[in-house]
Amino acid sequence: MEKEQFFKHKFLPVTTIVLAILVLWYAFAIILNTPFQRDLDRRANVTSGRMEFIGKTLAQPKPVLPAPHQVAQNVFENTFLRPPTSNRSLVYNAWVTLSSTAVGFAFGTLLGILIAVGIVHLVALDRSLMPWIIASQTVPILAIAPMVIVVLAAVNITGLIPKALISTYLSFFPVAVGMVKGLRSPEVMHLDLMRTYNASAAQTFWKLRVPASIPFLFTSMKVAIAASLVGAIVGELPTGAVAGIGAKLLAGSYYSQTIDIWAALVAGSVLAAALVAIVSIVARIVDRSMGGRPA
Amino acid sequence: MKGIHLSWQGLLALLLCLAAIAMLPLLTEDAVAPFTGGVTILTLLLVAVAAAISFINLSSALSATVLFIGAHGAAWLLLSGITGNEGEARLSFFLLIAAAWLLAWRCVSVLSTIRPRSPAGNYGLRLLIPAIFGAWILIIWEAATRGAGIPFILLPPPGAIGARIAGSIPTLWTDVQQTIFKSVLIGYIIGCASGFVVAILADRVAFLRHGLLPIGNLVSALPIIGVAPIMVMWFGFDWQSKAAVVVIMTFFPMLVNTVAGLAAAGNMERDLMRTYASSYSQTLLKLRLPAAAPFIFNALKINSTLALIGAIVAEFFGTPMSGMGFRISTEIGRMNVDMVWAEIAVAAVAGSVFYGIVAILERMTTFWHPSIRGGQT
């Protein structure tokens, strides 16, 4: 029964939509690449039949919109056929981006939790800091990214740290907001119970507030890790970085290597999906070890 | 000693004051225009007296006023004395700034305990407390950059950035027009509107919903900002390509949130609508869209910041001769750091205003919702 439900409500619709997207993609690839191909044919003085022409539009080296199989081929070549140490390998570039994402995410989560603990315990901090935390997110940090990186490069801090700082800035916010909510989620009744036990503030914090905040923490960590990845990618743009997914995007844009751009995008997407999946798995493990039952 | 109320911030401020006296003068000997003795004594007195008065059990309002005047008067004297003497400050200068900052902290703590009866007073207080916090970020920034003589290239003092903003309003205005009024606004409107329409469609057709939602959830976690170079290639260098990036970035948050919101109306209410024999459109307009409003506004708020980020980052991949992203990337290359910071400040203000407008609209249209009606969470 459950299997049938899954097939009807999940598998069938999702596959249909994915297929529809692929068909649309091919259609657009043909339409968008047609003018250039026609131009090429006219110059080379060849006339080709319709099927042959369509085949050519899907095999251009620098198409306006690469066909899915071209992107897939590029991803496959750059992932599996190159040694992972080569700087053209997507594995290598993804690793570079992943490392600054991970450092930034770790710092961001830590900072977010610290801010949340401060806000929950100090009234003055709650009233003075909270509005600025929200305002800080309306600052387009990605606009400051080139600034941060160039300035840090001027004091000889280059490489991982500046990119990680941008990731930190992007990821601390969801964690801080989620943790404040989580640390405040215990009901008044439970807090009162702690008071009747004559529990100290530290005991209330560790035994009631922290466990109550765990689900909130993981939810916001899922958002934060995706944001960290965006920060790391954008952090690679302004320095003309030589490695990383952002650098691949920029290089592809300079040399109009559209297939490379799309391959880098696919790599970034896979990375994002994998990171979110890892956080979800950790969340499930922690939830189970804390005695949560599968819903 | 009933009339005395000690606070650690005040005590520490007094100690710092004593340490500062021991380490006088405030500036090194070769400063161009050193502090006069009168100003030095006045600053010390302001801090010490404010700290001392705050120990007496006064009303909170009076105590806060004294602390406010002491902290900000001292900070103002110190900052106006350091201008022109960049990099000449000695430890005693920083000790006094720290003492003034502690007084400001105490002031905020006192202010946080006040519970005004009138709504206007409450509102003013909710603005005043963060304002003091923000002002102190600027004060410490100014004192650190000017006092320690941090190179201009690394971090210009806020005063210089302010002067630059005032001096280049026409340039900033053209950038704002290019980036905000063309790319951001147009992209935001198209992206949010299309996300909304597709969400309604998906809500009507269950098959579409089952297929689109997992994909929508996946896409909202992806680094969509990476499509910027592709969009620039397709739509050219002008604002159209930036608007396209913004459309793509805002579409999925709107889709996912609206679909979630449309499911928010309770079964009881839906059954009630059915007993009234109301049509699909009546249920949608009168029950489900209002119930979805908080979710839709959530998406609008998220999108307001995403749109600005998308437009600015897209400008890094090629743009005409104006726009905030263009200005930032070119001025940083020419080491005009104050101009970059001016642009950042303008972007921050624009982003806050954008967010604020959406938040006010939310307050006006969903005034009935518990999250707004109840006020505090």
Side-chain angles (χ1 to χ4, degrees):
Chain A
M1 179 64 205
E2 216 170 56
K3 215 169 193 177
E4 202 172 291
Q5 281 287 322
F6 171 80
F7 184 75
K8 206 171 160 197
H9 289 303
K10 210 100 195 214
F11 183 76
L12 200 60
V14 172
T15 344
T16 317
I17 300 274
V18 168
L19 278 179
I21 290 174
L22 276 180
V23 169
L24 267 180
W25 187 344
Y26 268 112
F28 270 104
I30 294 171
I31 295 168
L32 287 171
N33 296 334
T34 294
F36 183 67
Q37 190 60 42
R38 202 168 275 155
D39 211 38
L40 275 183
D41 278 7
R42 203 175 45 236
R43 267 188 242 165
N45 253 331
V46 271
T47 41
S48 34
R50 177 169 292 169
M51 284 322 286
E52 199 186 341
F53 185 79
I54 287 178
K56 277 188 192 167
T57 56
L58 296 180
Q60 291 174 358
K62 289 185 179 183
V64 178
L65 174 61
H69 68 262
Q70 285 178 299
V71 178
Q73 195 189 349
N74 186 304
V75 171
F76 181 77
E77 274 175 14
N78 287 333
T79 312
F80 297 109
L81 301 186
R82 286 180 201 287
T85 46
S86 137
N87 65 352
R88 291 196 58 191
S89 158
L90 278 177
V91 178
Y92 170 73
N93 284 299
W95 170 250
V96 170
T97 305
L98 180 64
S99 53
S100 46
T101 305
V103 175
F105 174 67
F107 280 147
T109 308
L110 214 63
L111 183 67
I113 292 176
L114 282 181
I115 288 177
V117 172
I119 282 178
V120 169
H121 284 102
L122 298 174
V123 188
L125 215 53
D126 177 27
R127 307 203 66 181
S128 57
L129 191 59
M130 206 50 188
W132 286 106
I133 287 187
I134 293 167
S136 80
Q137 294 304 302
T138 67
V139 178
I141 174 64
L142 297 181
I144 313 182
M147 178 78 209
V148 172
I149 284 173
V150 173
V151 161
L152 288 179
V155 285
N156 277 328
I157 301 175
T158 50
L160 191 75
I161 302 295
K163 288 188 276 171
L165 276 180
I166 293 161
S167 294
T168 304
Y169 189 98
L170 283 178
S171 56
F172 93 91
F173 176 72
V175 174
V177 172
M179 272 307 268
V180 168
K181 216 172 218 174
L183 290 173
R184 285 197 177 142
S185 65
E187 286 163 40
V188 179
M189 204 146 42
H190 295 155
L191 286 170
D192 281 345
L193 182 65
M194 290 304 272
R195 206 163 299 139
T196 59
Y197 289 161
N198 195 21
S200 66
Q203 281 171 324
T204 312
F205 178 75
W206 286 112
K207 302 209 160 133
L208 178 59
R209 287 191 191 274
V210 169
S213 71
I214 295 294
F216 291 85
L217 175 66
F218 278 110
T219 314
S220 34
M221 269 164 74
K222 274 187 222 167
V223 181
I225 200 153
S228 303
L229 184 65
V230 172
I233 289 179
V234 174
E236 286 162 0
L237 296 180
T239 41
V242 283
I245 289 174
K248 279 287 250 191
L249 285 175
L250 200 62
S253 140
Y254 278 157
Y255 305 114
S256 305
Q257 297 284 5
T258 27
I259 304 182
D260 277 0
I261 299 184
W262 283 89
L265 268 180
V266 170
S269 310
V270 171
L271 199 56
L275 287 174
V276 174
I278 290 172
V279 175
S280 310
I281 290 170
V282 174
R284 201 168 306 157
I285 292 171
V286 171
D287 188 45
R288 202 163 291 165
S289 70
M290 281 173 64
R293 254 166 269 136
Chain B
M1 299 288 271
K2 259 205 142 179
I4 300 287
H5 173 85
L6 291 179
S7 68
W8 67 268
Q9 290 106 330
L11 277 180
L12 198 54
L14 278 182
L15 284 178
L16 286 177
C17 244
L18 287 178
I21 291 172
M23 304 226 182
L24 281 175
L26 292 170
L27 303 177
T28 49
E29 282 80 21
D30 46 348
V32 190
F35 283 92
T36 56
V39 172
T40 312
I41 292 170
L42 185 57
T43 316
L44 284 167
L45 272 181
L46 264 175
V47 174
V49 170
I53 292 181
S54 77
F55 292 149
I56 304 170
N57 261 345
L58 298 166
S59 76
S60 310
L62 200 58
S63 179
T65 316
V66 169
L67 283 163
F68 184 86
I69 294 173
H72 293 84
W76 186 73
L77 284 175
L78 286 167
L79 286 185
S80 51
I82 194 77
T83 314
N85 294 320
E86 275 83 1
E88 306 282 356
R90 291 182 53 189
L91 187 58
S92 142
F93 174 85
F94 294 110
L95 287 177
L96 275 180
I97 285 280
W101 171 62
L102 284 170
L103 290 187
W105 184 344
R106 180 73 205 149
C107 174
V108 167
S109 302
V110 173
L111 280 176
S112 318
T113 59
I114 299 179
R115 293 275 174 275
R117 280 195 205 97
S118 70
N122 194 17
Y123 200 70
L125 207 57
R126 285 209 350 225
L127 284 180
L128 181 65
I129 294 174
I132 295 176
F133 187 86
W136 272 91
I137 291 179
L138 292 181
I139 290 171
I140 290 173
W141 179 352
E142 179 100 15
T145 46
R146 285 202 197 276
I150 292 174
F152 197 77
I153 301 274
L154 283 187
L155 194 64
I161 298 168
R164 183 55 114 135
I165 293 178
S168 46
I169 286 177
T171 323
L172 292 171
W173 179 239
T174 34
D175 291 347
V176 167
Q177 277 178 319
Q178 170 76 20
T179 303
I180 309 243
F181 291 146
K182 287 183 186 161
S183 323
V184 171
L185 273 186
I186 295 175
Y188 181 79
I189 291 169
I190 298 176
C192 290
S194 52
F196 182 74
V197 170
V198 174
I200 300 267
L201 269 181
D203 183 65
R204 188 86 220 241
V205 187
F207 188 78
L208 205 60
R209 182 170 65 241
H210 291 309
L212 267 181
L213 263 198
I215 295 175
N217 276 323
L218 181 72
V219 173
S220 38
L222 300 185
I224 310 191
I225 214 143
V227 299
I230 295 167
M231 291 301 129
V232 173
M233 254 175 224
W234 286 5
F235 295 97
F237 287 126
D238 210 354
W239 60 268
Q240 290 88 345
S241 57
K242 283 81 200 172
V245 175
V246 175
V247 168
I248 296 179
M249 286 186 72
T250 51
F251 178 81
F252 286 102
M254 192 66 185
L255 174 68
V256 172
N257 273 290
T258 310
V259 170
L262 285 173
N267 282 330
M268 195 98 91
E269 288 94 337
R270 276 191 225 193
D271 285 346
L272 183 64
M273 290 304 273
R274 206 166 299 139
T275 59
Y276 290 162
S278 56
S279 65
Y280 171 79
S281 60
Q282 280 173 323
T283 316
L284 184 70
L285 285 177
K286 300 202 165 135
L287 168 65
R288 302 183 56 212
L289 277 184
F295 291 82
I296 295 171
F297 273 107
N298 188 27
L300 286 175
K301 280 186 189 163
I302 296 172
N303 282 345
S304 70
T305 51
L306 278 182
L308 203 57
I309 288 175
I312 292 180
V313 171
E315 285 178 358
F316 294 158
F317 287 97
T319 128
M321 296 298 285
S322 62
M324 305 173 100
F326 163 78
R327 195 77 57 202
I328 289 172
S329 53
T330 50
E331 296 293 332
I332 189 80
R334 294 159 58 191
M335 285 296 166
N336 284 336
V337 187
D338 51 346
M339 188 64 198
V340 179
W341 278 100
E343 204 73 57
I344 290 167
V346 171
V349 171
S352 306
V353 168
F354 197 178
Y355 188 92
I357 290 173
V358 177
I360 288 172
L361 277 180
E362 178 182 27
R363 230 156 235 275
M364 278 159 52
T365 46
T366 59
F367 52 87
W368 43 267
H369 194 263
S371 69
I372 288 171
R373 202 181 49 202
Q376 300 298 318
T377 44

